[in-house]
Amino acid sequence: MIDERELAIHPIVPDSVRHNTQVLSSIRSLTASLFGIAAGILGLESYPGFLFYLLGTLVVSALVWGVLAKGQPERFFESQISGLWARDVFGGLSSFVLTWTLFYGLVRS
């Protein structure tokens, strides 16, 4: 158990950071699939589809930064760059490609 003195010295609680990271990972996985569905329905191919994913991921990161973290991500993540902006970008790419090709095939066939 962490006491008050320890919290005063180190205000970031590792359990909370781990939980926040898991929540952000879940948000990214869900939105990657939703972006894949949208790209498939829109009929995007090749580079425009991947650009759509990257722009969507940046929008999600900006929303998390502004809405959930209230502009202070250093209070909720270990590092602003790796914790909020760059984490799970490539992990969600497989979900994006999977749903992108599925819905592209369903709509275009």
Side-chain angles (χ1 to χ4, degrees):
M1 188 80 185
I2 299 174
D3 60 346
E4 280 187 49
R5 182 172 180 265
E6 183 68 24
L7 285 175
I9 295 171
H10 302 290
I12 296 178
V13 180
D15 292 336
S16 297
V17 172
R18 191 175 314 111
H19 172 73
N20 294 338
T21 304
Q22 289 174 346
V23 168
L24 185 61
S25 179
S26 297
I27 289 171
R28 288 201 189 272
S29 295
L30 176 65
T31 56
S33 295
L34 293 175
F35 291 142
I37 292 169
I41 291 173
L42 292 172
L44 299 177
E45 297 178 351
S46 188
Y47 292 120
F50 288 110
L51 184 63
F52 181 76
Y53 172 71
L54 289 175
L55 289 175
T57 302
L58 285 175
V59 168
V60 168
S61 294
L63 287 173
V64 168
W65 182 81
V67 176
L68 295 180
K70 297 179 179 79
Q72 299 176 341
E74 61 275 356
R75 291 182 56 209
F76 303 101
F77 302 100
E78 290 178 14
S79 170
Q80 180 175 351
I81 300 296
S82 68
L84 180 62
W85 296 98
R87 185 179 302 272
D88 294 332
V89 171
F90 295 109
L93 190 61
S94 61
S95 298
F96 170 76
V97 171
L98 181 69
T99 54
W100 179 21
T101 55
L102 173 68
F103 277 84
Y104 184 86
L106 289 173
V107 171
R108 302 294 175 211
S109 62

